[in-house]
Amino acid sequence: MSAHPDVSAPPGGLLDLDDAALGELVGPPHYRVAQVKRWLYERAVASAHDMTDLPAELRTRLDRIGAAPLTEVARTSADDGATHKWLFESRGASFETVLIRYPDRATVCVSSQAGCAQACPFCATGQSGFERQLSAGEIVAQVLAAARELRAIDDGRSPTRVSNVVFMGMGEPLANYPAVVSAVAKLCGPVGLSARHVTVSTIGIPDRIRQMTTDMAPVTLAVSLHAPDDALRDRLVPPNRRWPIREVLAAVADHRAAGGRRVTFEYTLMDGVNDSTDQAHALAALLRPLRPVHVNAIPMNATADPAFRPSPAAACRSFVDTLVAGGVNATLRRNRGASIDAACGQLFAGRARLGLRRPDEESGAA
Ligand code: SAH
């Protein structure tokens, strides 16, 4: 953050600029743009003042636009330091980012919107409403903030570079399509991630799913299914009323036919709602024709709504076993970060409970 930010700058600061705009800003010589991009995207500097091979005057000018545009409002960690979560603020909007470290990879879960307009009743973000779109730079900035943290931790328990990015924080990425296309281009370009390690998770907007294979590097598509039939999915994922299951699956088939990778279906298991053996059989029958597919079953993270509770471990196990026996590849995921509400847009909603405050709220108000 610069002491004197330029209020006319885009919300993602320098990270929102394309090569042409960056070229205009930095001026000659020609190699400056590549130099600045290396500092921004590969080395993830927190300030243009750290771009040590640039003239001081240029660094000052760059810092007015901002190399690290997000303000950290709060952060917590869980799983013995393996999971880190931030609440960021940018131009009045709040959103969360999670870093999940494994021995062999480091995954950043980014938000694509502040809030969400889809209103899924079991999702804390869905219940708190839509605030605004994030810019491509604001999305990439989340990954770079996590990259700086990873480098600083360096405790030998995970790689020191970000290896995976999942669009599973707040928001519906395909409802912020141009910004997500541009963010993916930066992540798979100058940031240096492999497209197969980037996952875009969606409620399933058919036309956008079809466009992805032309507009983006071959990222992994994940579709939040959560129900094997329209009656139930209408309730759990309200946009299903506009784009029913058969239309979403037809788009997935086209995405595959156009060269897209194997698709993942997310299925959040909720006690007595969508976790019966009959529903597992129905899901297997629905997805078998689309093979190869993968079902990621995730025990629900409890939210404030008592109507939706996590499925018991035994029900989760048997649901997954039924899918596999039915010929559909499936795994049960641990929900890392559950103790700090890191998984699914719950930080923002749980802010008061965690004693977190926005800087403009009165102290003691939480
Ligand atoms: N809007 C996109 C991406 C963000 S949500 C989408 O819906 O795919 C990422 C995933 O977390 C989605 O599968 C979503 O349904 C799931 N999710 C939301 N709330 C959850 C909860 N309380 N427990 C478990 N998963 C949840």
Side-chain angles (χ1 to χ4, degrees):
M1 282 294 287
S2 153
H4 304 287
D6 180 346
V7 289
S8 68
L14 295 168
L15 307 173
D16 268 329
L17 303 187
D18 60 18
D19 287 2
L22 202 54
E24 216 165 284
L25 179 69
V26 306
H30 248 95
Y31 57 79
R32 285 271 190 257
V33 170
Q35 241 178 332
V36 171
K37 282 172 71 179
R38 254 195 317 275
W39 284 115
L40 286 175
Y41 297 105
E42 268 175 50
R43 300 182 201 166
V45 291
S47 155
H49 281 286
D50 300 336
M51 301 182 181
T52 48
D53 54 4
L54 300 187
E57 173 276 329
L58 175 57
R59 283 189 259 164
T60 304
R61 215 145 34 84
L62 291 173
D63 246 353
R64 260 198 299 264
I65 312 294
L70 311 181
T71 304
E72 183 180 312
V73 177
R75 76 156 82 189
T76 32
S77 70
D79 301 322
D80 194 23
T83 307
H84 295 253
K85 177 193 58 175
W86 292 264
L87 179 65
F88 288 116
E89 179 154 298
S90 177
R91 302 265 174 101
S94 305
F95 47 92
E96 61 165 27
T97 306
V98 185
L99 166 66
I100 309 159
R101 302 195 299 138
Y102 303 89
D104 61 336
R105 64 190 197 282
T107 300
V108 183
C109 175
V110 296
S111 295
S112 55
Q113 302 179 311
C116 187
Q118 309 305 320
C120 302
F122 62 92
C123 173
T125 308
Q127 289 312 291
S128 53
F130 179 71
E131 221 177 323
R132 73 158 164 87
Q133 302 284 26
L134 298 188
S135 73
E138 288 176 306
I139 296 170
V140 174
Q142 299 170 58
V143 177
L144 300 178
R148 286 192 285 280
E149 181 70 16
L150 258 182
R151 211 160 49 198
I153 300 169
D154 192 17
D155 61 2
R157 289 165 54 203
S158 71
T160 51
R161 295 180 70 94
V162 174
S163 56
N164 297 61
V165 168
V166 296
F167 284 76
M168 294 187 185
M170 292 177 152
E172 168 48 44
L174 298 190
N176 186 14
Y177 192 73
V180 168
V181 167
S182 164
V184 166
K186 287 175 194 281
L187 294 174
C188 299
V191 176
L193 290 172
S194 146
R196 69 173 189 285
H197 292 154
V198 173
T199 298
V200 173
S201 175
T202 177
I203 48 100
I205 303 180
D207 289 349
R208 298 275 159 80
I209 287 176
R210 290 189 176 91
Q211 270 171 269
M212 281 175 69
T213 43
T214 11
D215 297 341
M216 290 182 205
V219 298
T220 298
L221 169 66
V223 175
S224 296
L225 200 55
H226 307 316
D229 61 81
D230 284 323
L232 180 59
R233 195 165 188 266
D234 279 352
R235 207 176 117 217
L236 298 180
V237 184
N240 193 71
R241 295 166 200 165
R242 181 159 170 207
W243 300 296
I245 292 174
R246 67 174 181 286
E247 286 183 28
V248 175
L249 297 187
V252 165
D254 290 346
H255 174 92
R256 284 282 298 160
R261 285 178 199 289
R262 183 186 75 161
V263 174
T264 296
F265 289 94
E266 285 156 279
Y267 199 99
T268 295
L269 290 157
M270 305 170 217
D271 188 19
V273 174
N274 65 353
D275 62 349
S276 74
T277 305
D278 283 353
Q279 285 162 322
H281 283 300
L283 183 63
L286 188 68
L287 298 182
R288 263 196 305 267
L290 286 166
R291 287 182 293 183
V293 295
H294 184 87
V295 174
N296 249 333
I298 310 156
M300 189 202 160
N301 285 295
T303 64
D305 188 343
F308 299 100
R309 293 177 315 270
S311 298
C316 293
R317 201 60 265 162
S318 97
F319 193 90
V320 167
D321 290 347
T322 305
L323 285 178
V324 172
V328 169
N329 197 305
T331 46
L332 183 63
R333 274 220 260 155
R334 280 201 309 140
N335 40 6
R336 288 273 291 265
S339 66
I340 52 168
D341 288 349
C344 310
Q346 296 174 57
L347 169 65
F348 184 68
R351 202 172 52 192
R353 186 160 43 83
L354 291 167
L356 307 177
R357 280 189 305 275
R358 294 163 70 123
D360 57 358
E361 282 172 358
E362 263 175 55
S363 66

